[in-house]
Amino acid sequence: MLNGLKRFKRTYLVLLSALVVILAGCQAVAGIDLNKVLLNSLKVDSAESKQSVQFKLLWDEQALAEDEELTEDSLALLNMLSNIKLNFNEMKMKDDDHLSVEGDLTLGSRSFGFGMVVDGEVGLLTVEGAKKPFLIDLSGESALDLLGLDSSVPVTEQTLTEVGRELFDYVGGYLIDKMPNPESLSVDPLAKTTVNGESLTLAHVSAKLTAEQAWKWIADYINALQGDREGLRSTLVGFIDIVLANPSLKQALIESEGSENLRPTDEEIDEVVDEVIEALASLSESMKEAEDSEDFAVIMNKNSYVQADLYVDSKLDIRKSNIDVQIKPDFSALDSEEDEELIPIEGLALTIESEMWNINGDVEVNAVSSAQKNGAVSLESLEDMQGYQVLRLFEPTSNIYGLLDKDLHIGHQEAYISMYSSQPPVITPSGITLVPLRRVASELGASLTLESNRIKLTDDATGTTIVLKKGSNQATVNGKTVKWSFPTTTIDNTVYVPARDLAKALGATLYWETYGSDEKVYLEFAREVH
C-alpha cells in the first residue's frame, strides 16, 4: 500500500499543477456557485462542440524591416508562424474512447481541412490533399499497466475509469474549494449570447488578470494549500477510502501487494502529507526567488494578461468560453541593453473560443472500418520516411503539399562531409575532390549493393541508378555509360568517387561551407526532391 501512496502523491501533484491555472474561485458570486461550475466542467462525459485556437506572434514591424540578416525564406516562415489558427468546426464526443472531429488548419496564407475519428484504440486521420488516410495506434499502456497491476487481476478498465472519476471529483473538489477568487471577477446573471446558432440567456462570468495579478493569485493559492495540513490529510484519507471501497480494485491491490493489510498507518499518511507540504513550500520559495531576478519584471507587467469569459447555463455547465492570453515582455525593465538585439518579437497572443451543447447527452460518432484500416498509412511510419516520401503522400496541387514543399522545404536534402571526420573528402594532386560513396548515399537516402568489383547505387528520390566498377572511371547512369573524372577508388577500405560527377548524377548542388566558431570546413551536397 505504501507504493500506492507514492503513486497517489504523484497524482496529487499533477492535479495541483493542472488546476492551479483555472481562473475562478470557489465562492458564490451573484448567485453562481463557481465551485460547482468548475466541478461540472470536469464531469463532461459526452458532448457536441466547436472550438477555435489562434496563435499570433506580435512583431516590431520597424525592427523587422530593418533586420538585414533575415532571408526571404526566414521572413516567409516568420509570416507563417505569425498567424496559426486551428478550427474544430464539429466535435462529437460519445465517451472517452469514441469521438469525431472535422476542422481546418491555417498556417500563414495556407489552409487545409482535416477530420479524425477515434474508435477505441484506433484513430483515423484524414487530411485534405492526402492520397490516403493516416492510421493512429492509440492503444498505449492500459490503466492497469500505469498502476503497476497485472492484467490478470480481477478489475476492468471500466472499474478503474469509474473509480478515477470519483477520485477526481473528490480531490478536484478540495483543490477548487481552496482557490481564492481572483481580482476583477464579475458575473452578469442575465447575459444574451448564442451557442451553436441558438440565442440563449446565460450567466456571464468574467475575469481578467495581469501577469502580476496572476502570479500573486498562484502564490496565494499555493500558500492556502500549504497552510491547510488537516485539509490535505483529510483529502488523502478520503482518497484511500474511495480506492478501498471498491471490492475488485481492493482485491487487485491485495494480489499486487501480496498482503491484505492495505490501509496505511497514521505515520505513513503523515509522511506523505509532509512531503506534499514540503513540495509546496519548495515551489513557493522558488517563486519568491524568481521575483528577485532581473527577468521577472520583463514578463510580469500590465501588457501581459489572461482574460477569461465563461457563459454558464442553469445546470451550471459552461456552454461558451473565450480565453485571451497575451505575453508581451517589457525589455525596458532590464538594466542592460543587451537583449534589445534579439529577434524583433514583441510578444505572443493566444485566443481560444469554444461552444458546447448536448452535454452528457446521447452522441453518435462514426466507427473505423476494417477497409479504412487496411487502406491507411500508419502515422508512426512517417518517422522513418525521407521528406520526399512524405511529400508523395499528398496531391501536388494541394495546399498541404505547398506548405510542406515550398514553405517547410521537407524535400530538401543535405549531405555534409567534414574535412575532420574519419572519412574526409580527398583532393587529388590534379585538384579533383573525391568523397566516400556510402556516406553520401546514406545521407541522401539512397542505397548501395556490392557484388565483387561492381557497385550499384539506387536513388529512389530521383529514380536514378548508377553502376560503378572499382578501378574504372566509367559509370553507367540510368543505363547510359559516361566517363567520370576519376576512377572509383578504395582508400582505407572506403570506396571514393569524384564528388562533382556524383552530385551531377544525383541532381545535387556541391559547395564548400564553413560552420561554427572554429570555422570547420565541410563539403556539402544539397538538393530539392519532390
Side-chain angles (χ1 to χ4, degrees):
M1 189 62 186
L2 189 55
N3 288 334
L5 277 172
K6 292 179 180 177
R7 284 192 288 269
F8 155 76
K9 180 175 64 177
R10 291 194 294 269
T11 304
Y12 194 99
L13 292 176
V14 169
L15 287 172
L16 172 63
S17 299
L19 293 173
V20 79
V21 299
I22 298 176
L23 290 179
C26 63
Q27 301 173 17
V29 179
I32 303 299
D33 185 348
L34 299 180
N35 187 322
K36 182 66 173 176
V37 170
L38 293 180
L39 284 176
N40 280 358
S41 71
L42 304 177
K43 298 179 182 179
V44 176
D45 297 320
S46 63
E48 296 180 63
S49 62
K50 58 183 177 182
Q51 186 177 85
S52 69
V53 181
Q54 186 168 19
F55 173 82
K56 287 185 176 182
L57 289 176
L58 308 176
W59 297 103
D60 181 335
E61 297 294 341
Q62 181 178 349
L64 191 65
E66 295 174 354
D67 193 333
E68 299 179 355
E69 296 183 4
L70 286 176
T71 65
E72 185 177 339
D73 285 345
S74 297
L75 282 171
L77 181 60
L78 292 176
N79 287 330
M80 181 182 70
L81 295 176
S82 295
N83 188 11
I84 301 174
K85 189 169 186 179
L86 178 62
N87 290 320
F88 299 102
N89 301 320
E90 181 184 85
M91 298 176 65
K92 294 182 177 182
M93 182 175 69
K94 181 178 181 179
D95 52 44
D96 290 341
D97 299 319
H98 300 85
L99 61 91
S100 62
V101 178
E102 295 289 338
D104 57 79
L105 175 64
T106 298
L107 293 169
S109 61
R110 300 186 189 273
S111 297
F112 56 89
F114 67 89
M116 184 171 179
V117 175
V118 173
D119 186 7
E121 296 184 345
V122 174
L124 191 74
L125 174 66
T126 56
V127 180
E128 183 181 357
K131 297 176 182 178
K132 294 181 178 181
F134 299 95
L135 193 67
I136 307 171
D137 181 4
L138 300 174
S139 56
E141 288 187 299
S142 68
L144 293 172
D145 295 328
L146 294 173
L147 289 172
L149 300 177
D150 190 277
S151 58
S152 63
V153 299
V155 60
T156 64
E157 292 276 342
Q158 182 179 358
T159 296
L160 290 176
T161 299
E162 291 172 355
V163 173
R165 286 175 178 167
E166 188 176 356
L167 291 171
F168 200 74
D169 288 346
Y170 181 76
V171 177
Y174 168 74
L175 293 175
I176 291 173
D177 188 63
K178 296 301 296 182
M179 289 182 182
N181 276 355
E183 299 178 30
S184 305
L185 178 67
S186 64
V187 174
D188 176 2
L190 298 173
K192 299 287 187 179
T193 189
T194 58
V195 176
N196 193 34
E198 181 182 4
S199 179
L200 299 174
T201 299
L202 303 173
H204 176 201
V205 182
S206 179
K208 182 175 181 178
L209 294 177
T210 65
E212 296 169 320
Q213 292 170 329
W215 184 269
K216 181 180 182 301
W217 182 86
I218 293 172
D220 289 345
Y221 182 38
I222 292 173
N223 289 335
L225 290 172
Q226 184 184 345
D228 186 25
R229 191 180 193 284
E230 288 306 312
L232 290 171
R233 192 181 193 284
S234 176
T235 301
L236 174 55
V237 172
F239 184 103
I240 295 167
D241 289 343
I242 291 173
V243 171
L244 298 184
N246 185 279
S248 59
L249 184 54
K250 180 178 180 180
Q251 184 59 36
L253 289 169
I254 289 174
E255 294 185 18
S256 176
E257 298 289 333
S259 171
E260 294 190 5
N261 185 22
L262 297 177
R263 185 168 293 279
T265 64
D266 289 343
E267 290 76 12
E268 289 173 329
I269 292 174
D270 288 335
E271 179 185 347
V272 174
V273 173
D274 289 341
E275 289 185 16
V276 172
I277 291 177
E278 183 179 343
L280 291 170
S282 177
L283 180 57
S284 180
E285 186 62 33
S286 296
M287 292 182 68
K288 290 177 181 177
E289 291 176 0
E291 293 174 9
D292 295 329
S293 70
E294 182 185 32
D295 296 333
F296 182 80
V298 174
I299 299 296
M300 297 301 158
N301 61 76
K302 293 182 180 181
N303 293 324
S304 297
Y305 62 83
V306 177
Q307 167 82 46
D309 291 278
L310 309 179
Y311 293 84
V312 182
D313 65 14
S314 59
K315 296 179 181 179
L316 299 184
D317 287 323
I318 298 175
R319 301 292 303 279
K320 184 175 183 178
S321 65
N322 300 305
I323 299 175
D324 290 303
V325 180
Q326 177 173 290
I327 299 176
K328 201 168 183 181
D330 179 12
F331 291 110
S332 65
L334 293 173
D335 292 335
S336 66
E337 299 182 358
E338 295 179 5
D339 290 306
E340 294 182 0
E341 301 300 323
L342 295 173
I343 292 177
I345 300 176
E346 291 188 336
L348 58 88
L350 177 68
T351 301
I352 303 174
E353 300 177 347
S354 66
E355 298 178 14
M356 187 177 295
W357 60 96
N358 195 16
I359 297 174
N360 293 325
D362 293 329
V363 179
E364 292 299 322
V365 299
N366 296 328
V368 179
S369 67
S370 297
Q372 289 174 316
K373 293 179 187 178
N374 295 333
V377 177
S378 168
L379 198 65
E380 292 181 354
S381 68
L382 300 186
E383 297 179 6
D384 300 321
M385 289 186 181
Q386 293 280 338
Y388 73 87
Q389 293 174 314
V390 175
L391 274 176
R392 292 174 185 177
L393 297 175
F394 301 92
E395 298 293 346
T397 56
S398 65
N399 271 347
I400 189 169
Y401 186 98
L403 170 70
L404 297 173
D405 183 33
K406 303 300 183 184
D407 298 335
L408 300 180
H409 300 286
I410 71 166
H412 182 77
Q413 291 184 314
E414 296 176 340
Y416 294 93
I417 312 299
S418 171
M419 289 294 292
Y420 312 96
S421 67
S422 58
Q423 297 177 352
V426 174
I427 301 177
T428 68
S430 58
I432 297 172
T433 301
L434 308 179
V435 291
L437 178 61
R438 182 175 296 278
R439 172 74 179 277
V440 175
S442 176
E443 293 196 21
L444 295 181
S447 60
L448 289 181
T449 55
L450 281 73
E451 296 179 6
S452 187
N453 287 334
R454 184 174 178 270
I455 304 169
K456 182 179 180 181
L457 182 151
T458 303
D459 181 32
D460 179 64
T462 59
T464 298
T465 300
I466 303 172
V467 179
L468 304 166
K469 289 184 178 180
K470 293 181 181 179
S472 172
N473 65 351
Q474 288 191 333
T476 303
V477 180
N478 293 332
K480 182 179 179 181
T481 301
V482 294
K483 185 177 180 180
W484 280 11
S485 58
F486 200 86
T488 300
T489 303
T490 300
I491 303 174
D492 293 335
N493 296 318
T494 298
V495 175
Y496 276 75
V497 296
R500 294 196 178 279
D501 294 317
L502 180 62
K504 180 180 178 181
L506 296 177
T509 301
L510 187 68
Y511 50 91
W512 292 97
E513 191 65 79
T514 302
Y515 291 103
S517 57
D518 51 1
E519 297 188 343
K520 287 188 175 181
V521 179
Y522 295 82
L523 181 62
E524 181 176 348
F525 289 74
R527 65 180 184 177
E528 295 283 345
V529 187
H530 309 281

